[in-house]
Amino acid sequence: MGIALLGLPNLELASICVNLTLLLVFLFVVSARRIFLCAGRIRLLKDDSSASAAGARQIQRNDGEVREVCIGTDFKLSLICCFYVVFVQVLVLGFDGVGLVRHSVDWSVICLPSAQALAWFVLSFSALHCKFKLCETFPLLLRVWWFLSFVVCFCTLYVDGKGFLVEGSRNRLSHAIANLASTPALAFLCFIGFRGSTGIQVCRDSDLQEPLLEEEAGCLKVTPYSEAGLFSLATLSWLNPLLSIGAKRPLELKDIPLLAPKDRAKTNYKVLNLNWEKLKAENPSGKPSLAWAILKSFWKEAACNAVFAGLNTLVSYVGPYLISYFVDYLGGKETFPHEGYILAGIFFAAKLVETLTTRQWYLGVDILGMHVRSALTAMVYRKGLKLSSSAKQNHTSGEIVNYMAVDVQRVGDYSWYLHDIWMLPMQIILALVILYKNVGIASVATLIATIISIVITIPIAKIQEEYQDKLMASKDERMRKTSECLRNMRILKLQAWEERYRVKLEEMRGVEFKWLRRALYSQAFITFIFWSSPIFVSAVTFGTSIFLGGQLTAGGVLSALATFRILQEPLRNFPDLVSMMAQTKVSLDRISGFLQDEELQENATIAIPRGVTNTAIEIKDGVFSWDSTSPRSTLSGIQIKVEKGMRVAVCGMVGSGKSSFLSCILGEIPKISGEVKVCGSAAYVSQSAWIQSGNIEENILFGSPMEKPKYKNVIHACSLKKDFELFSHGDQTIIGDRGINLSGGQKQRVQLARALYQDADIYLLDDPFSAVDAHTGSELFKVRLTVHRVHSSLEYILTALAEKTVIFVTHQVEFLPAADLILVLKEGHIIQAGKYDDLLQAGTDFNTLVSAHHEAIEAMDIPNHSSDDSDENSCPDASVSNINNCHPDASNIDNLAKEVQEGVSAAEQKAIKEKKKAKRSRKKQLVQEEERVRGRVSMKVYLSYMAAAYKGLLIPLIIIAQALFQFLQIASNWWMAWANPQTEGDIPKVSPMVLIGVYMALAFGSSLFIFVRAVLVATFGLAAAQKLFLKMLRSVFRAPMSFFDSTPAGRILNRVSIDQSVVDLDIPFRLGGFASTTIQLIGIVGVMTEVTWQVLLLVIPMAVACLWMQKYYMASSRELVRIVSIQKSPVIHLFGESIAGAATIRGFGQEKRFMKRNLYLLDCFARPFFCSLAAIEWLCLRMELLSTFVFAFCMILLVSFPHGTIDPSMAGLAVTYGLNLNARLSRWILSFCKLENKIISIERIYQYSQIPSEAPLVIEDSCPPTSWPESGTIDLIDLKVRYKESLPVVLHGVSCNFPGGKKIGIVGRTGSGKSTLIQALFRLIEPEGGRILIDSIDISTVGLHDLRSRLSIIPQDPTLFEGTVRGNLDPLEEHSDYEIWQALDKAQLGDVIREKEQKLDAPVLENGDNWSVGQRQLVSLGRALLKQARILVLDEATASVDTATDNLIQKIIRTEFKDCTVCTIAHRIPTVIDSDLVLVLSDGRVAEFDTPARLLEDKSSMFLKLREENHPTSAAASGAAALGESRV
């Protein structure tokens, strides 16, 4: 049959081949297109009804765009020509078929008409299909087909004409006539094919040409991938427009198209979450399998991908199977005509199919991995928002970030190994079939050797899994501590602890490094074993064959070697597969455990619809506990009913359960028993302000639409208008990480504004007035709790809030008279409840609180001249004091007061405002977009990495080891090809023992060098990674505070987690892999040119083309990878931010909005990531196609040479290596591109290794005396401070003197510069002008550690670190337990800690979450008591404690720090009223500086106004009166 077919004329044979090949390509591309779209369509059909409706509207709109379709004459003629050719071919087929039946002629006569009839039938309907698709151009495949058909037809016409005219041939007359009849039609189709146009004109409405998607302001077009044609999908040419832009200029995010709906995070999350919930519902008591849920969700994509993987595997074995036939042919053994060309054609076709399927397979697994990652990340985020308090204690925010950054990434990466499980057996079976053909029964030995190679990996896999577990655990610990240090860097610097914590992190990295070293060296050993495996298998196979007396031939050996080379890949990948399975299992278990952790109780509160009842909140027999295992409940016996519109105040001592009471209303605290009913929506303001990154307006709106009048009223109500004027960008000012560029009071007022704007029914305020000054606090309080007739501008807000229910926790007694109900808590019980006057008469605990407050107020009654006159005549907003306050007096203290400059006039202030507005648009924000390097990765980055370990000495050794490996490999293969006879029966050149001995020596020698290379790469990688990490860590810890203010923690965490992981585990092997592939490629080209030097004629232009394409690709790829790195940071940042503010998000019911934001950010990350993946495949496809053509050229050369001119064995060796050329070339380019893409991680780490550092910690030549400061005198001389060059000046020439051993009070409105002054004292900000002297020593000449370690501070935001009580008080381990207990007793915490089992080793959770804010502040006091510095700064230190505790703290400070200089920033005037001197700041200038008595005597004094705002008769009483008036 085959001989009959080969007896056909060459042109007929060519025509059959062309038509059938193109038909197969057509069917393959159509099938691929259908399979690609199948999964997406099915998933999209299952979308919810709203999505379906939206889709329907979109389809209608698209249909509606087409106004008119005109079918041109060209299209009609093209169709007629196609069907005419079909008709002619069917006629010929019928004629020849009848002849075959009647005359029994050769069946091959019907081959040509059959093939052509089938092909043209498909062609005709494909052309007709263009009409229904409204294609304005014919598909490229169709046009190529028409052109080739005309060329073959024309050649056949010429040959037939010549035959008839010259020879008078009568053979196959029907074919000649049919060919002649088809020629005009084919000529017309060829012309149409060249032109391309179908002749179909589609007229569209221009007014409908607007974009449909409005998700991204920058880019509104969806990726062309979603609508790409068959040819475009196969060649990845849909990516051309993006690469074209990237070649012209650096790409930006707006250039990158949106993902198709089926690829978006929302679609994939819905599918996975649905299957996960189903599995949980099916087996509530059991443990659902996350892996099974993923498989159920994405099996269609995996199955589609499996088709490409399977086809690729099959065609990859065609070459090894046919090599022996090819060597036989070159040796003169020809079995049928044109065998050489046919074999070359089959080789070429197989390589072509292999190239196309490889790229589709790889892109498919990448997209599958992307889908899995997006879906899992969204699930982890959603779980983080719903986590219960007890579960949250098991997972710190650092760990949850790691689940997303590392574990989810690993699960997604497993898609690469998904098909290896079934492909490995398939590859082994195919290999055994080929080997059986070549070496006979010895192939059984191959199977045994292969099984041994696989089995030996089991113990290694267990070791790898153990190392991975340990590595991940140690990485989690390091990330947790790093995250904590970055969050609390301000306190570390203030306390001079940063070096200690840096050393701690280095120690943690040391533990991680130990497991990393073991993992990498074990990987090096595995590399040696598995590079040796194919050598071991081949040696066993050949040895067994010789032992059994089999005759090896050059062709058989080369076929076997090519098979081993292919088998080498899966065997080498098997340890990776086992290791990856182990790692993925660990990650899946971690994520699954997290997803199954306890969530907040859904029945914790019963939501009652608005309007059903007049009761806003009702709690019956409520028992609540943060720790369910504890025998003592946090709250118990809670019985309360709050009517709509009531004001309820909650007060009590520190740690009495006030914040927990609000938590039980929100459903945050686990409910043991009882019932909580809440009617209407709630707004929650936490005690520790939670501010999102973004501008102030976004924080206030909090997802609600902008309503200008309402917004303005809220701003006015929260006293924010003045702050906005101070900010360079007003309410558009970008807030730094955790609200770093706002003062404590500003943060609280932004929080209050956020709550007010939501217009909720119930307001839960957790001591929000503690961080604001007394004036602002009382103003805010009045605004919220009274309807004052005077302020008509606030009418809207006040009217709205008059009917709201407000529950507020407060330590400030002056706010209590205005409450309808006061709850007094003690040890988790409501011990008193009633109105202010009733509770006062009852006595007990409430009386104690009020008495403590009155004591503090009485302390202020130094000459009290406040009268109606003073109230009328003085201006509360005065920013400049009367100069008389600063005149010197006889007393020593009076002499200290300095003159302050006259305030600028109102007209001048107005002019300054106008200038500020003009400059506002030009000024930079504090937080900038993350910077990225553009263009090529600098050679400096490569050199810095290579020189990081052993000054680069290992690099040449790695290259030498790899070169020796490659040389010995080629030598071993050459030996086997040369030493064996070419055909059976020839005499061997050497004895069997010499043959196998030399082969094993060369082969195992090569594997030894691979072991050396692997060990050297691991050694180099470890040393370089450690050096880079330490350099970055030290640079970050030495960075000035301004760096942390303007850099979100997510950016730094991204570098120390993801980028560092790349440097640890990826880059050294990428570098080694690039060197390896380069040398292998040189070896392959060397072997091919040795046999056929003519290949160089193609290799050189191919290399030039490859380098050009690589350069063209890298221009876009480099930027895509950088954009990917930058887009990852917002995802991590939102994770950390949302987990920290989860209670606030839930309190406002904003979980859905934050979930949407997370999905949006995931898509922003996936867009460049998807294009980056596709770009790699785009490049590889073109590289492999080039190398395939070079290989085909080499094959044709070998076939064309006359027999005997070249050694068949050497030619076979060249083909054996040539089969690997396309894979090696694409891998070489790919390894270089991936190396450059990965090296961006080093570039990013390198950026953070060069942060300008703050001043030296210690200046050897300028160390202060050990006793410094002795007196503690502080001189401020013309001090000017700004936070950043681009930001306005905050302190304007402050000059004053704080005498040693005196108590200095620093007061002023919120934002007046009080905290800035303290930061300048600690040199967190370096002054722009002026000096600060302590005991006559300029602090700028002293090392930072020397300065900060001699000062002590109790900061505004109390900070506790995860660990123990002892570790929080004395991290430097400088004090004994006795001293620590003394400090705790003085700080009123001794009894609390003695009650705990572990005493000083009692655990402190992340952020000190298991301690109240007041208790955290007392721990800060304990630190100061331990340090016993000569200068103590209290920065709003008592803002979060009740008045009685505040009085107690002040007494402790007066006794324990009586000889120290104490600078107290306070909002409560009682706190500073007994100070020796008071400094009043206003807008960054000294307003007043004198003794409290002198300042209170002056009726126009600003201090007097502040004192009156704190006085109960002026603040609380007026508030209560106003409230009473409003209710009347």
Side-chain angles (χ1 to χ4, degrees), residues 892-963:
N892 188 31
I893 290 177
D894 292 340
N895 279 329
L896 299 167
K898 308 279 185 183
E899 282 193 8
V900 290
Q901 295 178 344
E902 287 284 337
V904 289
S905 67
E908 286 173 323
Q909 281 187 344
K910 192 175 180 184
I912 290 167
K913 271 188 189 177
E914 291 300 317
K915 279 185 185 175
K916 274 188 180 179
K917 278 186 181 176
K919 287 182 182 176
R920 189 171 288 179
S921 59
R922 297 198 297 272
K923 286 184 179 173
K924 288 184 179 178
Q925 296 275 21
L926 174 68
V927 180
Q928 298 292 311
E929 278 190 24
E930 187 168 359
E931 54 182 80
R932 65 180 169 105
V933 180
R934 283 171 169 76
R936 287 182 66 88
V937 175
S938 167
M939 201 63 204
K940 193 177 176 184
V941 176
Y942 286 97
L943 294 174
S944 72
Y945 178 66
M946 290 193 278
Y950 308 104
K951 296 183 179 176
L953 293 174
L954 294 183
I955 301 290
L957 296 177
I958 290 168
I959 292 168
I960 291 166
Q962 180 61 40

Side-chain angles (χ1 to χ4, degrees), residues 92-318:
V92 175
L93 181 62
F95 180 83
D96 287 347
V98 171
L100 179 65
V101 173
R102 285 186 178 177
H103 309 297
S104 301
V105 294
D106 186 6
W107 67 271
S108 63
V109 76
I110 64 166
C111 286
L112 179 64
S114 299
Q116 290 201 332
L118 180 63
W120 279 96
F121 181 82
V122 171
L123 272 172
S124 302
F125 280 97
S126 179
L128 180 62
H129 187 58
C130 293
K131 177 182 174 181
F132 301 104
K133 282 188 76 180
L134 303 180
C135 297
E136 294 183 355
T137 56
F138 283 113
L140 184 62
L141 187 63
L142 204 66
R143 290 154 60 191
V144 170
W145 205 331
W146 286 344
F147 171 74
L148 289 176
S149 297
F150 174 71
V151 169
V152 172
C153 172
F154 188 82
C155 293
T156 309
L157 195 66
Y158 169 77
V159 172
D160 285 347
K162 186 181 174 184
F164 280 112
L165 293 171
V166 178
E167 301 166 11
S169 172
R170 300 264 174 210
N171 286 341
R172 307 190 195 280
L173 188 60
S174 59
H175 293 189
I177 293 168
N179 195 58
L180 183 64
S182 303
T183 302
L186 289 173
F188 177 79
L189 289 173
C190 181
F191 167 73
I192 293 293
F194 265 109
R195 209 176 66 174
S197 174
T198 56
I200 300 173
Q201 290 184 343
V202 182
C203 302
R204 301 176 190 273
D205 287 330
S206 59
D207 60 330
L208 292 175
Q209 294 295 306
E210 56 185 297
L212 296 176
L213 287 160
E214 297 175 0
E215 291 181 28
E216 179 69 28
C219 182
L220 296 172
K221 61 180 184 294
V222 178
T223 174
Y225 174 73
S226 59
E227 294 297 326
L230 306 174
F231 182 78
S232 182
L233 279 174
T235 59
L236 301 170
S237 53
W238 55 267
L239 198 64
N240 288 350
L242 184 69
L243 296 178
S244 175
I245 295 168
K248 291 169 191 166
R249 60 172 173 79
L251 288 173
E252 303 292 343
L253 183 63
K254 65 183 179 186
D255 298 319
I256 300 165
L258 301 172
L259 293 172
K262 69 185 180 70
D263 294 320
R264 290 181 194 167
K266 182 181 178 181
T267 310
N268 296 295
Y269 160 70
K270 276 186 175 180
V271 175
L272 181 56
N273 193 52
L274 182 70
N275 284 308
W276 173 247
E277 293 300 331
K278 273 184 188 173
L279 286 177
K280 280 166 70 177
E282 284 167 11
N283 189 8
S285 57
K287 191 177 177 184
S289 167
L290 183 58
W292 181 239
I294 292 170
L295 192 63
K296 280 180 75 176
S297 304
F298 303 102
W299 71 268
K300 291 186 185 75
E301 286 179 58
C304 157
N305 210 247
V307 173
F308 289 116
L311 186 58
N312 180 269
T313 304
L314 286 170
V315 294
S316 67
Y317 279 90
V318 170

Side-chain angles (χ1 to χ4, degrees), residues 1469-1489:
I1469 297 302
T1471 308
V1472 295
I1473 203 73
D1474 64 342
S1475 301
D1476 298 312
L1477 283 165
V1478 172
L1479 173 68
V1480 183
L1481 290 174
S1482 177
D1483 294 336
R1485 292 180 172 85
V1486 176
E1488 297 165 354
F1489 183 45

Side-chain angles (χ1 to χ4, degrees), residues 1123-1178:
I1123 293 169
V1124 166
S1125 298
I1126 286 170
Q1127 290 302 317
K1128 190 79 175 173
S1129 296
V1131 178
I1132 294 175
H1133 186 67
L1134 182 73
F1135 254 67
E1137 198 170 63
S1138 302
I1139 289 156
T1144 303
I1145 293 167
R1146 290 191 292 261
F1148 282 90
Q1150 294 270 359
E1151 298 98 317
K1152 277 188 180 177
R1153 183 173 73 85
F1154 275 81
M1155 188 66 197
K1156 277 183 183 175
R1157 176 72 183 161
N1158 179 53
L1159 292 171
Y1160 168 74
L1161 289 177
L1162 284 172
D1163 283 341
C1164 282
F1165 167 74
R1167 277 164 56 197
F1169 182 69
F1170 170 67
C1171 291
S1172 177
L1173 298 174
I1176 290 171
E1177 302 308 329
W1178 180 94

Side-chain angles (χ1 to χ4, degrees), residues 683-686 689-691 699-700 714-715 717-720 744-759 763-772 776-777 779-781 783-784 797 801 806-808 815 1144 1148:
Y684 169 62
V685 180
S686 59
W690 178 73
I691 303 292
N699 267 279
I700 293 171
V714 167
I715 297 307
C718 295
S719 310
L720 281 168
Q746 286 166 337
K747 284 186 212 172
Q748 285 292 15
R749 283 184 282 120
V750 168
Q751 273 211 124
L752 286 161
R754 175 167 64 203
L756 278 179
Y757 193 82
Q758 298 306 307
D759 197 22
Y763 284 84
L764 303 173
L765 313 178
D766 192 356
D767 201 11
F769 313 120
S770 62
V772 295
T776 311
E779 283 300 311
L780 291 170
F781 186 75
V783 166
R784 273 153 199 73
I797 291 290
L801 284 185
V806 182
I807 299 183
F808 61 98
F815 296 155
T1144 303
F1148 282 90

